[in-house]
Amino acid sequence: MSIRLYDTATRSVRDFVPTHPGKVSMYLCGATVQSPPHIGHIRSGVNFDILSRWLTYRGFEVTFVRNVTDIDDKILKKAAEQGIEFWRVAQANERAFTAAYDSLGCLPPTVEPRATGHIPEMIELMQDLILDGHAYAAGGDVYFDVRSFPGYGALSNQRVEDMLSADDADPKNAKRDPQDFTLWKGAKAGEPYWNTPWGPGRPGWHLECSAMARKYLGERFDIHGGGIDLIFPHHENEIAQSKARGDAFAQYWMHNAWVTMADEKMSKSLGNSVLVADMVRRYRPIVLRYYLGTPHYRSMIEYSEAALEESASAFGRIEQFITRAMELVGTTEPTTVPDDFAAALDDDLGVPGAVAVLHQTVRAGNTALAASDKESAKTRLGEVRAMLGVLGMDPLAEPWADSGGGDAAGLREVVDSLVAVALEQRQAARARKDYAAADEIRDRLTAIGIAVEDTPAGPRWTLA
């Protein structure tokens, strides 16, 4: 077994060698909770959930940290516009993000720290940087001196001389150099603040992740993830802060691509976002996960209704095989994934190749069903469930399986009973050779989104 990952820092695919054998430490930049999440926000959650699941399947003990930025310029602006406290905005949107992650089947991280809960760690980091000559206090703010760190710009492959001014300070004239970035923002009237040796204020965006990653994962950890929009300046600045302090920090940098609309990044500010809460009312959440999770994490996803419909059809074929196979062979637990599936995921989390193996296995399973080959069908079903489990898409496992008492389960039972009555009437019409009446019943079911399939075991219905 050799897992290989694309490392943004070296711009190459590298063999993955964890810091501690048998264990993986991973930090993902999570939500800045100024607004509810759109599907572009949640893509990273799905991608890194699949990575975590695959590493776990491969036998690693995974410690997964996904932070919440709950103090930020955008949050304060939203709070001011609404005339409420900043924490009310942050809490409401954090709950929306949690609901979105849960609805798409993302496992909870090992820990989900909030920025406001780690001010002491941030103050300690700033103290170390100032003592070592990498940061300075000025005008109530604290800045990082980018020219004091020779490696600045390496992650994003830029030279300091070619960079624009770091646009994260007010007033900017307190900085010694336009490229210096803000670690701590001095207090302004009406804004929340915390006391520090350099005066009251609040953290800059970049400071928090360095402090929280060190607290939970140590001075050296394995994987740091996030969207490609975070490479610069956020991740570049994290590296500068942490390595200037003396930490080895992240050994692999992984970045997922955007979900776009008309070739533009999906963004609330551009007015082209599709909120998760709205999408899960229009599409089954498991289909939305399939749509976001099956392209390669480094490939752009161009949003379209047609692509979502294709995802629904593709996943429907998988579900139909599972249903038919269980009718023939009964309940079958997940077994092991095929070698080609494993090889695809070991190669920089190649989910598209893995999904191709999944569909090949489904086709082989359908062939076995057509031949009434129970042994082969059972083998394929176990493999399909194992692969879906790694992808977080097994409809027979949590959170997708009916809980047996919830609203969804109860509704399914009611619908099942009503459709059964219609199918009994259809069968009775066919028995008396009234085929026009039988076809009308089937057509009416189709019109309301229920597809009927005639099988040797009798008619079966699914949502079309």
Side-chain angles (χ1 to χ4, degrees):
M1 178 190 71
S2 177
I3 295 176
R4 292 169 59 78
L5 300 173
Y6 182 84
D7 177 22
T8 305
T10 62
R11 287 169 280 283
S12 65
V13 177
R14 299 170 51 205
D15 287 340
F16 176 65
V17 181
T19 300
H20 301 288
K23 298 183 178 181
V24 175
S25 46
M26 181 163 59
Y27 186 95
L28 175 64
C29 284
T32 299
V33 287
Q34 84 272 12
S35 58
H38 56 64
I39 59 174
H41 290 133
I42 298 301
R43 183 185 182 184
S44 70
V46 172
N47 289 156
F48 285 92
D49 180 62
I50 293 173
L51 175 61
S52 179
R53 288 171 182 267
W54 180 239
L55 292 169
T56 300
Y57 182 90
R58 277 306 203 191
F60 291 101
E61 178 186 329
V62 179
T63 301
F64 181 25
V65 181
R66 185 182 67 208
N67 78 295
V68 175
T69 298
D70 62 342
I71 182 73
D72 173 84
D73 289 344
K74 295 176 182 177
I75 296 172
L76 296 179
K77 181 180 179 182
K78 287 288 181 68
E81 290 172 350
Q82 298 175 33
I84 59 177
E85 298 94 334
F86 83 97
W87 52 264
R88 292 186 186 275
V89 173
Q91 281 285 296
N93 290 311
E94 182 180 341
R95 287 194 294 271
F97 267 87
T98 298
Y101 289 128
D102 290 347
S103 70
L104 267 64
C106 295
L107 297 173
T110 311
V111 62
E112 194 166 22
R114 297 186 183 102
T116 56
H118 297 79
I119 302 300
E121 290 84 358
M122 298 182 207
I123 293 173
E124 182 182 345
L125 172 54
M126 287 189 288
Q127 286 175 326
D128 289 346
L129 291 173
I130 290 173
L131 286 173
D132 290 339
H134 293 291
Y136 57 94
D141 300 333
V142 180
Y143 299 100
F144 185 90
D145 180 357
V146 299
R147 295 184 188 275
S148 74
F149 181 68
Y152 192 74
L155 181 70
S156 55
N157 197 26
Q158 297 185 82
R159 298 189 311 163
V160 175
E161 294 76 13
D162 298 331
M163 296 177 184
L164 298 175
S165 171
D167 188 21
D168 63 352
D170 186 19
K172 301 179 183 65
N173 59 9
K175 294 194 290 184
R176 296 174 184 170
D177 189 300
Q179 279 76 29
D180 292 349
F181 62 86
T182 306
L183 298 172
W184 191 259
K185 298 189 174 189
K188 295 180 182 177
E191 288 188 352
Y193 67 87
W194 290 261
N195 290 314
T196 75
W198 314 283
R202 58 185 173 86
W205 176 31
H206 317 297
L207 183 69
E208 60 177 273
C209 286
S210 287
M212 289 188 285
R214 190 182 209 253
K215 178 178 177 67
Y216 295 101
L217 300 178
E219 299 177 13
R220 176 190 179 103
F221 61 95
D222 297 318
I223 299 170
H224 196 311
I228 56 172
D229 52 318
L230 300 182
I231 294 174
F232 187 87
H234 187 49
H235 289 166
E236 193 77 72
N237 292 351
E238 283 187 58
I239 291 173
Q241 295 164 166
S242 295
K243 291 196 171 185
R245 186 189 210 183
D247 294 352
F249 208 52
Q251 302 305 293
Y252 298 81
W253 287 87
M254 297 180 66
H255 293 93
N256 63 277
W258 294 331
V259 179
T260 63
M261 295 182 73
D263 297 322
E264 288 186 315
K265 173 192 173 187
M266 189 168 286
S267 167
K268 287 282 286 183
S269 62
L270 295 176
N272 62 0
S273 62
V274 183
L275 296 180
V276 175
D278 295 334
M279 293 297 294
V280 296
R281 285 193 284 266
R282 297 166 52 203
Y283 295 93
R284 295 167 59 210
I286 198 168
V287 168
L288 190 55
R289 181 181 175 99
Y290 184 95
Y291 169 71
L292 292 174
T294 52
H296 195 277
Y297 74 94
R298 290 194 287 122
S299 298
M300 295 290 185
I301 299 176
E302 175 67 16
Y303 172 83
S304 73
E305 297 288 334
L308 271 161
E309 293 296 341
E310 289 174 7
S311 293
S313 296
F315 192 75
R317 290 192 292 272
I318 297 170
E319 287 184 304
Q320 287 168 12
F321 163 70
I322 292 173
T323 299
R324 295 176 60 209
M326 289 186 64
E327 288 176 352
L328 181 66
V329 304
T331 301
T332 300
E333 294 302 313
T335 53
T336 57
V337 303
D339 290 344
D340 288 348
F341 180 93
L345 291 187
D346 282 344
D347 185 12
D348 191 30
L349 202 67
V351 174
V355 171
V357 176
L358 170 61
H359 282 285
Q360 289 168 6
T361 307
V362 167
R363 288 194 290 272
N366 285 329
T367 299
L369 290 175
S372 297
D373 183 348
K374 289 188 176 182
E375 183 176 348
S376 181
K378 187 177 183 67
T379 299
R380 301 291 86 78
L381 177 58
E383 291 173 343
V384 165
R385 288 201 62 195
M387 289 185 278
L388 290 172
V390 167
L391 299 174
M393 303 175 195
D394 183 357
L396 303 180
E398 295 297 335
W400 314 113
D402 287 342
S403 61
D407 292 341
L411 181 60
R412 171 80 189 199
E413 291 178 3
V414 171
V415 173
D416 196 27
S417 298
L418 292 173
V419 174
V421 171
L423 292 179
E424 288 173 5
Q425 293 175 343
R426 177 173 175 264
Q427 288 296 95
R430 295 179 72 182
R432 63 177 183 267
K433 300 186 185 304
D434 187 352
Y435 298 114
D439 289 344
E440 182 182 358
I441 293 171
R442 180 170 185 159
D443 290 345
R444 292 179 68 180
L445 289 171
T446 300
I448 62 174
I450 294 174
V452 177
E453 177 187 5
D454 292 311
T455 75
R460 177 194 302 113
W461 72 271
T462 57
L463 293 176

